[in-house]
Amino acid sequence: MAAAGRARGLLAQLDEALAFEGLTREELEAELPAKVLVEHAVDTRKKQKWMCSQLHVVKFLLEFLDQRDSAPFDQKTTEAAVRNEMMQAKQQWKELKAGYQQQVVAMEGAVPRVLAQLEKGQHLAQRLKEALARYEAQRHEAEKKARGARERRQKEQEQLEERKQQLEEQAALLRSRVQAQRQELHRLQGELQSQECVASGWREKVERSSALCQLLETLQGVRVVSASADEIDVELTPGPQQTTPDPQPATLDPQLLRFTLCWAEDGSIRVQSHSPLFPPPRPCADVRGTVLELQQSYGQLAPLLAEIQALQTRFSIDWQPQEHQLRFLQPSAIWTLAVEPGYPVWGGVRLLAVQGQRGPGDPGAWKPPQETPSLRDWLEYLSTLDI
């Protein structure tokens, strides 16, 4: 506090010392450098000196004219007096000029030093003001932190008291809950014994259901892979197929079809096929009807799908299940074969379209030598062509 008082006193003294500058001088110093101000002062002093000499000459002439008009005088005496006065005036003028030059030199030497001291004083005053402002800000900040610390300590003390009271209340509540939980435990132990009896009944039902699933797998070719609350994974094994009048030399075993039955929130059934070659049919309202429909559809398509899987290892083909069409891709042409429903038992295969490098061709211009060619016959025949 004492240092702050001394700093304020120094600032007041400095303001009094700089009071003579005034607002105009401060504005001039802010706009013009010290060298320009010195040159302006020297030029002003020269002009004042020249005007002073002119005024002396005018004064002398006016006095001479007044004496000449007032009384006659001797010409020689007058000329001597005039020369004497002129000599005195010149001597005074030289003395004044010498004094003026001395003052100008002293002023030119003193002005930069005074301006430097003035600038230094202003800089020190500014630094002192900034230091005093920082001191005041730090003091206010320290007082604010001290008040905050006192308030925090008081608040923490109040919170501790409140927390202590809450813990005592919670301890009493927990003791009452422990007593209630002990009573509930005895009650649950009795219910557990009754539920164990119910669980044994459910186990018997599950065993009967498992036996039923095994029976379904044996009789109908349906195997449940996994089951959850909202979906079932099932595998289908196609039943015995009818043989064609002219069977192929190599018979392909049909693959298992795996699909997932999902139940939606509204109770509807959604079918997801795990085979890209088999598009699932539209599901029925119940699980039994959906599985039967899948069995029937897959039973009809199983030989065709098994043949397509075998041909994919030899030829570049693309099966389109929705259109029942097979595309055979060659560098020179793209052949589209239409597979009739019921193939290979009673349906056939025919060439539907040809797209060559020179444009589409006539499908009727190409046919294998067999009477009822199969997919393999068509692909082997088309692979020998180059259009």
Side-chain angles (χ1 to χ4, degrees):
M1 298 297 292
R6 289 195 297 273
R8 294 191 185 92
L10 290 175
L11 288 175
Q13 294 177 6
L14 184 60
D15 292 337
E16 293 178 358
L18 299 176
F20 72 94
E21 291 296 326
L23 182 60
T24 304
R25 180 64 177 272
E26 290 178 357
E27 294 176 354
L28 290 175
E29 289 183 355
E31 296 178 358
L32 298 175
K35 184 177 181 180
V36 176
L37 293 176
V38 171
E39 293 178 356
H40 174 71
V42 172
D43 184 64
T44 303
R45 185 64 67 181
K46 289 181 180 180
K47 291 180 180 179
Q48 291 176 355
K49 170 186 172 183
W50 180 78
M51 291 178 65
C52 182
S53 64
Q54 295 296 324
L55 290 174
H56 278 289
V57 174
V58 171
K59 178 181 179 182
F60 174 74
L61 293 175
L62 291 175
E63 290 178 355
F64 175 74
L65 293 175
D66 290 340
Q67 291 177 1
R68 182 175 181 183
D69 294 337
S70 60
F73 55 87
D74 185 54
Q75 184 175 3
K76 293 182 179 181
T77 303
T78 302
E79 293 177 356
V82 168
R83 284 194 297 272
N84 189 17
E85 291 180 0
M86 290 180 64
M87 292 297 292
Q88 293 178 359
K90 288 182 179 180
Q91 186 64 29
Q92 292 178 358
W93 169 250
K94 290 180 179 180
E95 293 175 357
L96 290 173
K97 183 177 180 181
Y100 172 76
Q101 292 294 337
Q102 293 176 359
Q103 293 295 330
V104 168
V105 172
M107 184 182 298
E108 291 178 351
V111 166
R113 186 173 63 257
V114 171
L115 291 177
Q117 292 178 355
L118 179 61
E119 184 177 359
K120 183 178 179 181
Q122 291 176 348
H123 180 66
L124 292 175
Q126 182 65 26
R127 291 180 59 186
L128 186 58
K129 288 179 180 179
E130 294 176 355
L132 182 61
R134 288 195 298 271
Y135 168 75
E136 292 292 338
Q138 293 175 357
R139 185 172 63 83
H140 288 306
E141 185 68 21
E143 292 177 354
K144 183 178 179 180
K145 290 181 178 179
R147 287 195 303 270
R150 287 194 298 271
E151 292 175 356
R152 285 195 300 272
R153 284 196 298 272
Q154 184 178 359
K155 188 175 181 180
E156 289 175 356
Q157 187 68 25
E158 294 175 355
Q159 290 178 351
L160 287 176
E161 294 293 335
E162 184 179 357
R163 183 61 178 168
K164 180 180 178 181
Q165 184 177 359
Q166 292 177 355
L167 290 176
E168 291 176 355
E169 294 175 356
Q170 290 178 359
L173 181 61
L174 288 175
R175 283 192 294 269
S176 63
R177 287 182 178 178
V178 168
Q179 185 64 26
Q181 292 296 332
R182 288 176 180 173
Q183 297 175 0
E184 183 68 16
L185 179 60
H186 291 300
R187 187 183 66 81
L188 291 176
Q189 286 176 352
E191 290 184 359
L192 179 59
Q193 293 177 357
S194 62
Q195 292 295 331
E196 287 179 351
C197 296
V198 175
S200 62
W202 279 106
R203 282 194 293 270
E204 293 177 358
K205 292 181 180 180
V206 169
E207 291 175 358
R208 289 196 299 268
S209 299
S210 300
L212 178 61
C213 289
Q214 293 176 0
L215 180 61
L216 289 174
E217 292 176 7
T218 303
L219 298 179
Q220 301 181 2
V222 179
R223 188 173 72 90
V224 178
V225 179
S226 63
S228 63
D230 55 355
E231 64 180 23
I232 296 178
D233 283 348
V234 180
E235 281 187 352
L236 287 181
T237 302
Q241 303 293 322
Q242 301 179 9
T243 59
T244 59
D246 298 323
Q248 298 296 331
T251 303
L252 299 174
D253 295 332
Q255 302 294 325
L256 296 177
L257 173 64
R258 183 172 179 178
F259 61 92
T260 303
L261 297 178
C262 303
W263 281 269
E265 295 180 356
D266 57 356
S268 61
I269 300 175
R270 183 165 51 89
V271 181
Q272 295 180 354
S273 175
H274 292 219
S275 174
L277 301 178
F278 178 75
R282 185 183 301 274
C284 299
D286 57 346
V287 178
R288 182 176 180 276
T290 302
V291 173
L292 291 176
E293 181 67 23
L294 286 169
Q295 266 191 313
Q296 182 180 0
S297 300
Y298 185 59
Q300 296 176 357
L301 293 177
L304 172 61
L305 299 181
E307 186 177 0
I308 290 175
Q309 288 179 349
L311 293 175
Q312 282 179 340
T313 61
R314 297 179 53 193
F315 305 99
S316 177
I317 57 176
D318 180 20
W319 171 244
Q320 298 176 351
Q322 300 295 338
E323 294 82 3
H324 240 252
Q325 295 177 2
L326 184 73
R327 301 181 67 188
F328 179 36
L329 309 178
Q330 284 186 314
S332 59
I334 299 176
W335 309 84
T336 302
L337 299 174
V339 181
E340 298 176 354
Y343 174 87
V345 179
W346 56 82
V349 181
R350 59 187 178 86
L351 183 61
L352 184 64
V354 180
Q355 182 65 37
Q357 295 180 351
R358 300 179 181 177
D362 182 14
W366 296 278
K367 186 179 179 181
Q370 292 83 357
E371 182 178 356
T372 56
S374 63
L375 274 178
R376 186 183 62 184
D377 297 335
W378 270 103
L379 295 177
E380 290 176 350
Y381 170 70
L382 295 177
S383 62
T384 59
L385 303 178
D386 186 10
I387 62 172

